[in-house]
Amino acid sequence: MKAISTKSKIVFLSTFPPTQCGIATYTQDTIKGITDVFGKSVTCEICELVDKPNTKSKQAFTLNTKNREEYTSVAQKINKDDSVKLVHIQHEFGLFGGNYGDHLLDFLNEIKKPVTYTFHSVIPNPNDELKTFVKLLLNYSNSVFVMTNQSEEILIRDYGIAKDIITCVPHGTHVVVYEPPYIAKEKFNIQDRLVLSTFGLLGEGKNIETGLKALPKIIENTPNALYLIIGKTHPNNVINGVDTYRNKLEEMVADLNLQDHVRFINEYLDTDQLLEYLKATDIYMFTSKDPNQAVSGTFSYAMSCACPIVASKIPHTKEVLTSDSGILVDIGDEDQFAEAAIKLLSDENLREEMGKSSFRKTRASSWENVGIIHMNTYKKLMDKTYEIKYSYPSIQLAHVKKMTTELGMIQFSKISVPDLSSGYTLDDNARALVALCMHYKLTEDKDDLPYILIYLDFIERCQKPKGNFINYVDENNREHVEQNAEVNLEDSNTRAIWALGTVVSHSDILPESITKKASKCLLNSLKWAETIQSPRSIGFATKGLYLYHSTVPNLYVAAIINKLNAKLLSNYELCATKDWKWFENYLTYGNGILPESMLYAYLVTNKPIYKKVALESLDFLSSKMFFDDSFRVISNNGWYHKGSEPEQYGEQPIDVSYTIQTLNSFYNAFKTPEYKQQMKTAFNWFLGKNHLNQIMYNPISGGGYDGLEKENVNLNQGAESTVCFLTARLIMENLKLSDSKVIPLMKAKTNIAINS
């Protein structure tokens, strides 16, 4: 594929804010999801659907749906823009003029661009006229998006639409940082209330009356219950300034004496405000009375904010809401609503588990992931010569800092809540120290320094008199013999050496007190480092010692590097064959550190054998992970053994990060373009180019998800995965900067040839 100098455009036919309607908001969020992930190469424009002349619209195109002539003229304008590669029509029958909105056919007859639709309504059991019209729409396109499996089934069964042109994409949801409701309640000063809520543009279809009728019984059980009714009335329901529906609800509140238990939030809230209210919700009440409502954005948003839900039975809720995340009740049955709410309000643990279940289920439907699904379909429709590139998210340290106490970085997280009981490890704090040094070098942000010192102090605290380290300290800063007596602690110990060498290598920018402390710890570890045996431990130690030696040339350090890598070379000579150019008879985790170790040994000693093995082993490793334009990590489900077929799935962020780090070192040393391209391909794994097509990070906090499994993403955001994502992201930022200036990996200041 050839790269293009200008972005490809996708035009959306849709209502759009400030118009207040569900489709307008849906389109806005869809575009944001696409732009956040692919904005580097794609731009989205709006052809705004209005029902009267609008000269004030700020959009690229405007279509007055009541003026039939505009359907043709607007299509002609879009045709003239060569950069428009696709038109996406947000379709609802009532949006367009004519019978079933058939004035849209005038547009379709004129438009010369590829077309796709999102069907916001899929009506079951259509009459012949409706069925014929829907099939006619799809004669102009071989693509349509729907938001539920049931909608897909209806199109196939009732309309005779081929399954292969239908893309089922869930209603998108906003990524939030998970937190229990009591934290969010503090922002609204309602800590002492158990909160029920509902939101959206109010109208008869919302059926809020059912929730209000259920509330007296709920209050009998839960006297501190508070029902939040969030949102303005739908503009179409306010006639001549009279808001009949809201007036009816307010009268009902008065009649039932619920004034102390109902609060109307009569505002059209921005997204962040709305999500905060939902995070403060103990139970979400979904009371819709439309049995044919195909999908509900309000329901999806509530699930994504970890709300346990009591919901009317409509197609969307029946498809998505299982017993582990909420309770389904009959439409309009206030007794069932009351009974279900009382059950949940009486059991805090049940609410918490249901909320977490809802949260996990909706991560796959984040707007970023929805954007990826859309783009994968778009690419089938658009000109194949145009390359679609991923955009990089902003660099975020919020979760790193949240996971850090005065002692160090906490090991594990339950979703995004640090699990203090998991304690602290040398591994995690060493990796965090490396990442924060990189961030400080990139940004010169003085706020990084206290964190660098915390992680360095933790390493110093773990060092023993002989120079080696313990790995685990509990939440009370106590050592545990059983957790520090594992057979192989070499890896964690040598990661500490890597981190210490990293600090010393930043001596030109870090305070002297910090670099002196790191240097002292590293020098104290040298006697022990000579005895290292395991291949990966040799690799991590070599990396740290190389960084130290590159800054403070030291014959003893150079000798240790040579001694350790002679062992690694022996491993290679024992295991390598024509088809297996590797140091062991299996590939496990952190494989990239082994060829990287050979590279550093070559840079220090100038021995050709180290260079030869470094390049051979990296090429071999790459052949097992890179396939065309995709990347797949060595699975941790049994690993990959010589002479056998590799397992799939079970992919860990640490291995993606280590691969990028290794390729970066080789690229800086040899400037081979393939290494740079492989780095980009590997990093795209985090951005959604993986077998689930899902992002592997929280874009709000910078938290990294713990793993990519066969059918789901592990949403826990522990220290290891978070720091590994951050490290990879920082490398890619430096790579972007290096495209405009050369930043070579310097050889050690003193190249010392050492005889074996």
Side-chain angles (χ1 to χ4, degrees):
M1 292 189 296
K2 64 179 182 181
I4 56 174
S5 58
T6 58
K7 293 182 181 180
S8 301
K9 291 180 184 176
I10 299 165
V11 173
F12 285 76
L13 260 68
S14 178
T15 55
F16 203 74
T19 297
Q20 296 178 6
C21 78
I23 291 177
T25 304
Y26 179 89
T27 301
Q28 182 182 52
D29 289 333
T30 300
I31 287 174
K32 186 178 186 302
I34 293 169
T35 303
D36 285 349
V37 181
F38 300 105
K40 186 175 182 179
S41 55
V42 171
T43 186
C44 298
E45 292 187 343
I46 298 296
C47 176
E48 186 175 7
L49 303 178
V50 296
D51 58 7
K52 54 182 175 290
N54 186 345
T55 59
K56 295 182 179 180
S57 175
K58 298 179 181 179
Q59 304 306 331
F61 307 95
T62 304
L63 170 56
N64 180 357
T65 57
K66 292 187 176 179
N67 182 348
R68 188 160 186 176
E69 293 179 356
E70 288 198 14
Y71 288 86
T72 299
S73 63
V74 169
Q76 291 170 345
K77 290 178 184 177
I78 295 173
N79 287 337
K80 290 179 181 177
D81 189 339
D82 291 338
S83 60
V84 174
K85 305 304 174 187
L86 181 76
V87 175
H88 190 152
I89 300 171
Q90 300 295 315
H91 184 271
E92 179 67 75
F93 294 103
L95 283 180
F96 303 97
N99 188 29
Y100 289 123
D102 63 3
H103 290 178
L104 178 61
L105 297 176
D106 294 352
F107 177 91
L108 294 168
N109 281 320
E110 189 65 30
I111 196 71
K112 306 303 181 187
K113 311 289 185 178
V115 171
T116 186
Y117 308 88
T118 292
F119 281 179
H120 288 266
S121 287
V122 180
I123 300 171
N125 305 311
N127 58 37
D128 289 342
E129 186 179 8
L130 175 58
K131 180 177 180 179
T132 299
F133 178 66
V134 169
K135 295 185 75 169
L136 181 58
L137 287 179
L138 289 171
N139 280 339
Y140 291 90
S141 171
N142 60 350
S143 170
V144 60
F145 292 87
V146 295
M147 285 177 262
T148 63
N149 292 323
Q150 183 172 25
S151 293
E152 179 179 4
E153 291 170 8
I154 292 170
L155 282 180
I156 295 169
R157 182 189 67 232
D158 295 355
Y159 293 84
I161 305 303
K163 180 180 176 65
D164 61 1
I165 74 167
I166 303 170
T167 302
C168 189
V169 54
H171 191 292
T173 55
H174 295 278
V175 174
V176 300
V177 176
Y178 172 82
E179 60 186 17
Y182 72 85
I183 296 176
K185 287 178 186 178
E186 293 177 2
K187 299 161 190 170
F188 303 108
N189 196 28
I190 51 175
Q191 302 96 307
D192 59 339
R193 309 299 291 268
L194 283 169
V195 177
L196 304 93
S197 75
T198 189
F199 88 92
L201 293 171
L202 297 193
E204 292 285 348
K206 297 289 185 185
N207 197 24
I208 306 298
E209 307 94 292
T210 298
L212 293 176
K213 290 175 184 177
L215 196 53
K217 291 182 180 178
I218 295 171
I219 293 169
E220 288 179 19
N221 178 80
T222 310
N224 64 336
L226 175 65
Y227 191 16
L228 301 179
I229 300 172
I230 306 165
K232 292 179 70 69
T233 304
H234 197 291
N236 295 345
N237 295 326
V238 180
I239 310 299
N240 297 322
V242 179
D243 190 342
T244 304
Y245 184 64
R246 186 177 296 274
N247 290 342
K248 182 175 80 170
L249 296 180
E250 290 176 347
E251 289 173 6
M252 185 178 294
V253 169
D255 291 343
L256 295 173
N257 195 27
L258 297 174
Q259 293 91 332
D260 293 336
H261 299 276
V262 176
R263 187 176 299 175
F264 288 93
I265 314 296
N266 187 11
E267 300 176 54
Y268 192 78
L269 300 175
D270 66 39
T271 300
D272 290 340
Q273 287 177 297
L274 171 62
L275 297 176
E276 289 299 330
Y277 272 112
L278 291 176
K279 287 164 69 174
T281 295
D282 293 290
I283 300 176
Y284 187 78
M285 302 285 277
F286 181 77
T287 54
S288 172
K289 65 179 181 181
D290 181 359
N292 292 317
Q293 183 177 355
V295 68
S296 167
T298 61
F299 168 74
S300 296
Y301 283 15
M303 287 191 70
S304 74
C305 289
C307 296
I309 297 178
V310 179
S312 302
K313 295 174 182 174
I314 67 165
H316 190 191
T317 61
K318 287 193 288 186
E319 182 171 306
V320 174
L321 194 68
T322 51
S323 59
D324 61 345
S325 53
I327 300 174
L328 288 169
V329 299
D330 293 332
I331 291 174
D333 192 324
E334 66 255 31
D335 290 334
Q336 290 186 23
F337 268 97
E339 181 182 347
I342 289 169
K343 177 181 179 180
L344 295 180
L345 290 170
S346 302
D347 192 335
E348 182 178 357
N349 288 334
L350 179 61
R351 292 198 309 275
E352 181 179 350
E353 291 308 311
M354 281 189 169
K356 288 179 179 178
S357 177
S358 291
F359 183 89
R360 291 189 179 100
K361 285 181 180 179
T362 51
R363 288 312 89 196
S365 63
S366 74
W367 285 113
E368 292 82 1
N369 291 335
V370 165
I372 292 168
I373 296 172
H374 276 82
M375 188 55 64
N376 286 342
T377 296
Y378 292 165
K379 286 190 287 188
K380 299 173 185 176
L381 306 173
M382 294 165 62
D383 188 333
K384 300 297 188 295
T385 62
Y386 292 92
E387 184 178 6
I388 304 300
K389 297 179 180 178
Y390 287 84
S391 299
Y392 296 162
S394 61
I395 297 169
Q396 301 283 352
L397 296 187
H399 192 59
V400 168
K401 293 181 177 181
K402 185 178 181 180
M403 291 286 288
T404 303
T405 70
E406 292 181 356
L407 179 57
M409 193 170 197
I410 300 165
Q411 183 175 192
F412 296 136
S413 176
K414 296 178 179 177
I415 305 182
S416 56
V417 179
D419 181 8
L420 189 57
S421 68
S422 66
Y424 307 81
T425 68
L426 181 67
D427 269 334
D428 294 328
N429 283 273
R431 281 187 287 257
L433 181 54
V434 171
L436 264 290
C437 285
M438 292 172 63
H439 187 265
Y440 184 65
K441 183 174 183 179
L442 179 70
T443 65
E444 297 184 3
D445 184 349
K446 300 296 185 184
D447 288 344
D448 290 347
L449 293 176
Y451 291 89
I452 289 172
L453 188 57
I454 286 172
Y455 305 138
L456 178 58
D457 283 347
F458 185 85
I459 293 175
E460 183 184 51
R461 181 255 180 270
C462 290
Q463 191 165 37
K464 309 308 288 181
K466 292 184 178 180
N468 61 325
F469 305 82
I470 61 165
N471 186 48
Y472 179 78
V473 175
D474 74 11
E475 60 185 295
N476 297 310
N477 198 16
R478 295 176 304 196
E479 300 176 19
H480 288 241
V481 174
E482 64 277 8
Q483 288 182 274
N484 286 302
E486 298 174 15
V487 173
N488 183 15
L489 285 177
E490 280 192 349
D491 281 5
S492 59
N493 275 241
T494 52
R495 271 190 276 265
I497 294 175
W498 165 31
L500 295 169
T502 300
V503 173
V504 174
S505 72
H506 288 76
S507 296
D508 56 331
I509 59 172
L510 287 174
E512 186 179 6
S513 59
I514 288 178
T515 56
K516 276 190 171 182
K517 180 180 291 192
S519 182
K520 180 181 177 183
C521 282
L522 186 143
L523 293 174
N524 286 344
S525 73
L526 293 182
K527 256 311 187 210
W528 170 82
E530 284 190 70
T531 67
I532 296 168
Q533 297 297 324
S534 73
R536 277 158 195 76
S537 301
I538 289 173
F540 290 122
T542 296
K543 190 169 187 175
L545 295 174
Y546 169 80
L547 290 168
Y548 179 90
H549 179 62
S550 298
T551 309
V552 186
N554 183 302
L555 280 169
Y556 181 34
V557 170
I560 294 175
I561 290 172
N562 185 63
K563 179 179 179 180
L564 293 177
N565 283 276
K567 297 178 189 177
L568 195 56
L569 182 62
S570 295
N571 273 53
Y572 186 83
E573 291 170 343
L574 284 171
C575 298
T577 61
K578 179 183 177 183
D579 299 320
W580 187 267
K581 303 288 187 179
W582 199 242
F583 306 86
E584 300 166 309
N585 290 323
Y586 41 76
L587 294 167
T588 57
Y589 76 99
N591 298 296
I593 194 63
L594 304 185
E596 197 174 348
S597 186
M598 291 278 102
L599 170 64
Y600 294 133
Y602 163 67
L603 292 174
V604 169
T605 69
N606 276 330
K607 289 186 175 181
I609 186 62
Y610 287 145
K611 178 181 179 181
K612 175 178 180 291
V613 172
L615 294 171
E616 277 183 0
S617 58
L618 180 60
D619 286 348
F620 170 77
L621 178 62
S622 295
S623 73
K624 304 303 179 184
M625 296 190 296
F626 291 94
F627 307 92
D628 297 324
D629 65 341
S630 62
F631 172 77
R632 188 170 65 232
V633 181
I634 302 299
S635 169
N636 66 0
N637 295 326
W639 306 116
Y640 182 5
H641 290 264
K642 185 176 183 179
S644 66
E645 289 298 313
E647 298 292 336
Q648 293 188 48
Y649 315 117
E651 301 180 29
Q652 302 296 304
I654 187 172
D655 288 308
V656 186
S657 184
Y658 281 165
T659 299
I660 292 168
Q661 292 174 50
T662 296
L663 289 166
N664 184 54
S665 296
F666 275 78
Y667 176 71
N668 286 333
F670 302 117
K671 291 293 179 268
T672 306
E674 183 183 6
Y675 296 146
K676 180 195 281 190
Q677 186 54 50
Q678 286 179 334
M679 288 166 66
K680 294 177 179 178
T681 301
F683 191 71
N684 286 347
W685 181 93
F686 286 109
L687 306 181
K689 191 72 188 305
N690 51 59
H691 75 269
L692 289 184
N693 293 310
Q694 293 186 32
I695 59 172
M696 289 300 298
Y697 63 96
N698 184 310
I700 306 300
S701 67
Y705 297 145
D706 275 359
L708 181 71
E709 306 302 335
K710 181 178 181 180
E711 297 178 349
N712 67 284
V713 172
N714 182 339
L715 296 176
N716 292 333
Q717 294 151 57
E720 177 185 288
S721 53
T722 293
V723 171
C724 284
F725 170 67
L726 173 62
T727 303
R729 177 65 187 89
L730 290 167
I731 288 174
M732 301 313 293
E733 189 69 14
N734 284 321
L735 186 68
K736 186 169 65 174
L737 295 174
S738 73
D739 284 342
S740 58
K741 59 182 180 179
V742 178
I743 307 176
L745 174 72
M746 298 300 294
K747 291 188 178 183
K749 289 183 179 177
T750 305
N751 277 326
I752 304 171
I754 302 174
N755 295 322
S756 300

